[in-house]
Amino acid sequence: MATLVVPDSVPTPLEDAGKIRKAVQEFSFTLNLYSGLGTDEKALISVLGHRNAVQRKLIRQAYEEHYKENLIKRLETELSGHFEKAMYRWMPDPVERDALFAHLALKGQNYKVIAEIACELPPDALLAVKRAYQSCYKTSLEEDVASHTSGDIRKILVGLVGTYRYDGNEVNPNVASSEAKILQDAIGGKHFNHEEVIRIVSTRSKAQLNATFNRYKDVHGASLTKKLLGDPSDEFLAILRTTVRCITDPIKYFEKVVRHALTKAGTDEDALTRVIVRHAEKDLKEIKELYYKRNSVTLAKSVAKETSGDYEAFLLTLLEGH
Amino acid sequence: MATLVVPDSVPTPLEDAGKIRKAVQEFSFTLNLYSGLGTDEKALISVLGHRNAVQRKLIRQAYEEHYKENLIKRLETELSGHFEKAMYRWMPDPVERDALFAHLALKGQNYKVIAEIACELPPDALLAVKRAYQSCYKTSLEEDVASHTSGDIRKILVGLVGTYRYDGNEVNPNVASSEAKILQDAIGGKHFNHEEVIRIVSTRSKAQLNATFNRYKDVHGASLTKKLLGDPSDEFLAILRTTVRCITDPIKYFEKVVRHALTKAGTDEDALTRVIVRHAEKDLKEIKELYYKRNSVTLAKSVAKETSGDYEAFLLTLLEGH
């Protein structure tokens, strides 16, 4: 479930656009006098941190129509730091946002994020992201992934973003059995990058993969992810782990991503922003609950401890609704 | 353009279904007495060989509703040989038909056909075929291709069926230049299966590939396809040639397929049926015209020479409209 809180009675898109205009203009006019006061950011958060994707789109349209400028570009000019990045990622439609995350991941060579997006989303949602990617960047996600990468990383990522997985619940127990054996033979021998491992995880349906992974666990007494631990600098292995985790239990995976982002020396704001912004409108509540269960402290408290200023205020608004 | 001829005034779907019912029933009743007379096949051809995809679908529905049986299954029982195969492939919707051809190609290990379908169709049409495939077979085309193949053939085919190519006309001349060079380096050294060759042909947009192939030709004075000739038993190379040909000039490619099907010792009926049935409603006219230009004989005349009976009559109906 979502954590985003939208008030019962919402102003019209044009009224919201007016408040935002006031906030960004005041900010500009007062910049020389009271630089850094941050009052305008609060106004922005109080509006945009409480509107869902459809409402934000209508606000963007009303703003552009009325003030003859692109709201996202204006915000980019006016804001800065992690708060600007978070707002820039919050504003687009979910599919355009994921296209943006995929594009940024390629630019920053943060390839795990590509696996995260490709494996977490249902097949038709991934397809919608690929369409948005083409419309934004005039190239396909597949060709950009393929031309930025090479070797095993290319093989697995092109498979993951390319396959339009079957989305039905039918499972073939013979395939589960035979492919659990193939995985065991390859992974037992530490051949993580075996052609067959890549084929299985990148093309089989999620229902089939869960059956295969369960079969693996039944026979070998340990989950597949436990067997995928190894050299932390092995990027292919990290992508493979992300793939398996996002397919078997995405909530557990994303809890781990925020936990690592918050506990590592020097907070990983990019990962923290990504999880909160991408999930606030869908399943951040489940991620929060698991976080509390796992860490005996609320996610909000951890976020408040590791972040500050408008960035903190914005993340807490998305997380807690206030 | 299509070669299929639909009369100006078409009976209702139920009237057509009635004629077909009569034809298949007469056939069954008279089978013991006049086995092989073939008069009923003529009636079938005179109806179904002159109806477009939408009309055939309405006939199938009317038949099923009225006679409580599946028309395609009934035809399968009643007919035989190449005529049955051709009718069985003619009857479905174009996307279901291509899903069927892909499925048959995998069963028969005729992998060139997978490349043919993946590269000839526009990206959204390929996607529709993949959806039809899932709905018919409860698995994805990608996983079936991947699990039936291995090595380089798997790499190129999974790339071809997986990629949702960018369909725009934008071309990057720098990419054309650098990737023409990559192709030259790999193919000049006979490394046809080089990872980069597979990446380029399977992920780039058709517009980009045509720009890249033209650049290749400008620099090297010969077309890429000319450089892809080699051991005729090399299946990977055959798939790569099919890929390049279907992207650069599908009409020329299909003319060649029918020419080879008709001229080889023992006619390749499967290939002949495939081209005629798949193209009768779209661009068989262009294929016919090129065939005449290239061979100084009409395609109809060649088909009549190499085929016989109801199969011949049906193909000629689709080719010539009579």
Side-chain angles (χ1 to χ4, degrees):
Chain A
M1 281 175 64
T3 53
L4 177 75
V5 173
V6 175
D8 292 338
S9 157
V10 172
T12 66
L14 191 57
E15 285 166 356
D16 276 342
K19 284 186 210 165
I20 292 166
R21 179 69 171 186
K22 196 160 165 278
V24 294
Q25 278 194 328
E26 269 179 24
F27 185 84
S28 300
F29 291 156
T30 58
L31 194 62
N32 296 328
L33 295 173
Y34 314 101
S35 170
L37 273 188
T39 44
D40 310 276
E41 283 90 344
K42 282 195 180 61
L44 289 178
I45 294 170
S46 78
V47 176
L48 295 169
H50 293 283
R51 299 292 181 273
N52 65 31
V54 174
Q55 293 164 338
R56 295 195 305 278
K57 187 173 192 165
L58 293 173
I59 294 172
R60 288 203 308 275
Q61 288 170 346
Y63 187 95
E64 179 139 12
E65 226 162 77
H66 205 75
Y67 302 110
K68 311 290 173 212
E69 69 172 8
N70 181 295
L71 175 55
I72 296 183
K73 284 199 180 136
R74 179 67 188 252
L75 292 174
E76 220 184 338
T77 321
E78 300 294 341
L79 310 177
S80 65
H82 295 302
F83 176 53
E84 179 230 318
K85 280 190 180 179
M87 193 54 99
Y88 187 71
R89 284 151 183 71
W90 174 242
M91 287 303 290
D93 283 330
V95 290
E96 284 163 13
R97 177 195 297 142
D98 279 347
L100 171 68
F101 274 120
H103 193 71
L104 292 170
L106 284 176
K107 276 174 70 177
Q109 304 190 330
N110 191 4
Y111 300 130
K112 264 190 347 183
V113 175
I114 304 284
E116 193 178 290
I117 294 171
C119 296
E120 180 222 350
L121 296 176
D124 278 313
L126 175 60
L127 179 65
V129 171
K130 296 204 286 185
R131 287 192 159 132
Y133 191 97
Q134 295 194 6
S135 130
C136 292
Y137 307 110
K138 306 296 172 204
T139 53
S140 69
L141 179 56
E142 289 90 329
E143 69 187 299
D144 285 355
V145 166
S147 64
H148 277 77
T149 56
S150 64
D152 294 328
I153 291 179
R154 176 189 287 171
K155 278 182 213 156
I156 190 165
L157 288 183
V158 170
L160 292 176
V161 299
T163 302
Y164 181 58
R165 290 187 201 263
Y166 176 58
D167 201 21
N169 289 323
E170 291 88 351
V171 154
N172 184 332
N174 296 332
V175 168
S177 213
S178 66
E179 296 193 346
K181 176 81 174 60
I182 294 174
L183 291 175
Q184 163 60 12
D185 290 348
I187 286 164
K190 301 275 175 200
H191 303 305
F192 301 117
N193 60 349
H194 192 285
E195 197 185 319
E196 285 288 277
V197 175
I198 296 176
R199 169 185 69 79
I200 293 169
V201 301
S202 67
T203 66
R204 291 300 189 192
S205 76
K206 292 186 187 178
Q208 180 66 53
L209 283 174
N210 276 297
T212 301
F213 297 159
N214 282 333
R215 176 79 190 153
Y216 181 97
K217 200 172 173 178
D218 290 345
V219 173
H220 304 291
S223 73
L224 184 61
T225 43
K226 290 234 161 49
K227 299 284 180 185
L228 293 178
L229 299 171
D231 178 4
S233 69
D234 183 336
E235 199 175 3
F236 173 82
L237 194 53
I239 293 169
L240 183 59
R241 270 198 310 272
T242 298
T243 300
V244 175
R245 282 183 177 138
C246 284
I247 286 168
T248 48
D249 194 341
I251 298 295
K252 196 170 159 191
Y253 169 79
F254 288 113
E255 186 279 331
K256 193 165 184 166
V257 172
V258 280
R259 176 156 39 89
H260 283 197
L262 288 164
T263 51
K264 87 188 227 183
T267 312
D268 182 350
E269 285 88 359
D270 282 349
L272 181 64
T273 300
R274 189 174 76 248
V275 175
I276 292 184
V277 158
R278 285 189 74 221
H279 295 268
E281 278 182 275
K282 46 183 186 182
D283 52 12
L284 191 52
K285 192 163 178 290
E286 287 77 5
I287 297 171
K288 259 170 69 173
E289 284 167 359
L290 187 62
Y291 186 92
Y292 182 70
K293 220 168 132 183
R294 175 79 177 66
N295 306 284
S296 308
V297 56
T298 64
L299 180 54
K301 208 163 180 178
S302 298
V303 167
K305 194 172 154 228
E306 300 298 333
T307 61
S308 63
D310 301 314
Y311 177 56
E312 175 193 349
F314 183 46
L315 292 190
L316 292 179
T317 300
L318 296 182
L319 252 177
E320 300 289 283
H322 53 74
Chain B
M1 281 175 66
T3 54
L4 177 75
V5 174
V6 175
D8 292 337
S9 157
V10 172
T12 66
L14 191 58
E15 286 167 353
D16 276 342
K19 284 187 209 165
I20 292 167
R21 179 70 170 185
K22 195 159 167 277
V24 295
Q25 279 195 326
E26 268 179 25
F27 184 86
S28 301
F29 293 156
T30 58
L31 195 60
N32 296 327
L33 296 171
Y34 314 101
S35 170
L37 271 188
T39 44
D40 311 275
E41 285 89 342
K42 282 198 177 60
L44 289 178
I45 294 170
S46 78
V47 177
L48 294 170
H50 293 285
R51 299 293 181 273
N52 64 31
V54 174
Q55 293 164 338
R56 295 195 305 278
K57 186 172 193 165
L58 293 173
I59 294 171
R60 288 204 308 274
Q61 288 169 347
Y63 187 95
E64 179 139 13
E65 224 162 78
H66 205 75
Y67 302 110
K68 311 292 173 212
E69 68 172 8
N70 181 295
L71 175 55
I72 296 183
K73 284 198 180 136
R74 179 67 187 251
L75 292 175
E76 220 184 338
T77 321
E78 301 293 343
L79 310 178
S80 65
H82 295 302
F83 176 53
E84 180 230 318
K85 280 191 181 180
M87 193 54 100
Y88 186 72
R89 286 152 182 69
W90 174 241
M91 286 303 289
D93 283 330
V95 291
E96 284 164 13
R97 177 195 297 142
D98 279 346
L100 171 69
F101 273 121
H103 193 71
L104 293 170
L106 285 176
K107 276 174 71 177
Q109 304 190 331
N110 191 4
Y111 299 131
K112 264 190 347 184
V113 175
I114 304 283
E116 193 177 292
I117 294 172
C119 296
E120 180 222 350
L121 296 176
D124 277 312
L126 176 59
L127 178 66
V129 171
K130 297 204 285 184
R131 287 192 158 131
Y133 190 97
Q134 295 194 5
S135 131
C136 292
Y137 307 110
K138 307 296 171 202
T139 52
S140 68
L141 179 56
E142 289 90 327
E143 68 186 301
D144 285 356
V145 166
S147 63
H148 276 77
T149 56
S150 64
D152 293 329
I153 291 179
R154 176 189 287 170
K155 277 183 216 159
I156 191 165
L157 288 183
V158 170
L160 292 176
V161 299
T163 301
Y164 181 57
R165 289 187 203 263
Y166 177 59
D167 202 20
N169 289 323
E170 291 87 352
V171 155
N172 183 331
N174 296 331
V175 168
S177 213
S178 65
E179 297 193 345
K181 176 82 173 58
I182 293 173
L183 292 175
Q184 163 59 13
D185 290 348
I187 286 163
K190 301 275 175 201
H191 304 304
F192 301 118
N193 60 350
H194 193 285
E195 196 185 319
E196 285 288 279
V197 174
I198 295 177
R199 170 184 70 79
I200 293 169
V201 300
S202 67
T203 67
R204 292 299 189 194
S205 76
K206 292 186 187 178
Q208 180 66 53
L209 283 174
N210 276 298
T212 301
F213 298 158
N214 282 332
R215 175 81 191 154
Y216 180 98
K217 201 172 172 178
D218 290 346
V219 173
H220 304 290
S223 73
L224 184 61
T225 43
K226 290 235 162 50
K227 299 286 179 183
L228 293 178
L229 299 171
D231 178 5
S233 70
D234 182 337
E235 199 176 3
F236 173 82
L237 195 53
I239 293 170
L240 183 60
R241 270 199 309 271
T242 298
T243 300
V244 174
R245 282 182 177 138
C246 283
I247 286 168
T248 47
D249 194 340
I251 298 296
K252 196 171 160 192
Y253 169 79
F254 289 112
E255 186 279 331
K256 191 164 185 169
V257 173
V258 281
R259 176 155 38 89
H260 283 196
L262 289 164
T263 51
K264 88 188 227 183
T267 312
D268 181 351
E269 285 89 357
D270 283 349
L272 181 64
T273 299
R274 191 174 75 247
V275 175
I276 292 184
V277 158
R278 285 189 73 221
H279 295 268
E281 279 182 272
K282 46 184 186 182
D283 52 11
L284 190 52
K285 191 162 179 291
E286 287 77 8
I287 298 171
K288 260 169 70 173
E289 285 168 359
L290 186 61
Y291 185 92
Y292 183 71
K293 219 167 133 185
R294 175 81 175 63
N295 306 283
S296 308
V297 56
T298 65
L299 180 54
K301 208 162 180 177
S302 298
V303 168
K305 195 173 154 227
E306 301 297 333
T307 61
S308 64
D310 302 314
Y311 177 56
E312 175 193 348
F314 184 44
L315 292 189
L316 292 179
T317 300
L318 295 182
L319 252 177
E320 300 289 283
H322 53 74

